[in-house]
Structures are given as structure tokens and as C-alpha cells.
Amino acid sequence: MDYLTIFKALANETRLQILLWLKEPEMNFPSAVPLADEHDFKDAICVGKIQEKAGMSQSTTSQYLSLLQRSGLLEARRIGQWTYYRRNEDTIQQLAKYIGKEL
């Protein structure tokens, strides 16, 4: 796990906010349409809804989400023409353990 990349991703207020929003997607994205069960990607939110809530351009939103994904904090799945994102809880738990033990 590349902790430096993770900390860089978290150093931006909006990227951190996106992670916080995705912690409770039903509350933070009430107008989002849940994925059908057959997609097996629970709690994922379409990039358009994240962009809308963040109030940023599509390109900036995509860059932020891409960095969060590369750092391992988000998982992404393309379904049809849309890309959906959700938190990678395994990475977040490993990060919490690292901080609690090493820092």
C-alpha cells in the first residue's frame, strides 16, 4: 500500500469530502438511482451525481476521482455508459490500522 499517495489524495478538502459523502451515499445523494442487484456494486454513486454535489467541472471531478481510485481509496466500475464509484473499505481500514500503529 502506498501511504504517501493516499495522504496526498486526502490532502485536498474536496477529495476528502467526496470520501465522506460516499460513506453514507443514501443520505448524501438522495436523488441517485441505486444500481440493480445484478451489478453487485452496492453503495456506488454515478460520477455525474458526485460532480453535481461537488459543484466542479466534469474534468476536475474526473481527475479527483481518478486520484482517489489510484490511491486505493475508491473502487470504480463502468456500467453501460456510466462510471460508478464507491469507497474501498478494505483500504480505508488498513489505513486506519497503519495510522493507529505507526504514527
Side-chain angles (χ1 to χ4, degrees), residues 20-35 43-46 48-50 52-54:
L20 293 171
W21 291 335
L22 291 173
K23 186 174 183 177
E24 298 180 293
E26 301 86 11
M27 183 178 81
N28 291 300
F29 300 94
S31 66
V33 177
L35 290 173
D43 295 330
I45 299 295
C46 177
K49 292 295 182 183
I50 297 169
E52 183 181 299
K53 186 163 182 79

Side-chain angles (χ1 to χ4, degrees), residues 18-85:
I18 290 168
L19 277 177
L20 293 171
W21 291 335
L22 291 173
K23 186 174 183 177
E24 298 180 293
E26 301 86 11
M27 183 178 81
N28 291 300
F29 300 94
S31 66
V33 177
L35 290 173
D37 289 340
E38 74 253 15
H39 294 296
D40 191 33
F41 207 57
K42 189 175 188 281
D43 295 330
I45 299 295
C46 177
V47 64
K49 292 295 182 183
I50 297 169
Q51 174 192 350
E52 183 181 299
K53 186 163 182 79
M56 298 184 307
S57 69
Q58 186 274 330
S59 62
T60 301
T61 303
S62 292
Q63 288 174 350
Y64 282 11
L65 292 170
S66 179
L67 178 57
L68 288 166
Q69 183 185 7
R70 284 193 314 273
S71 72
L73 294 167
L74 290 184
E75 300 174 302
R77 182 174 294 170
R78 187 154 180 93
I79 300 172
Q81 63 181 345
W82 307 108
T83 302
Y84 291 82
Y85 288 90

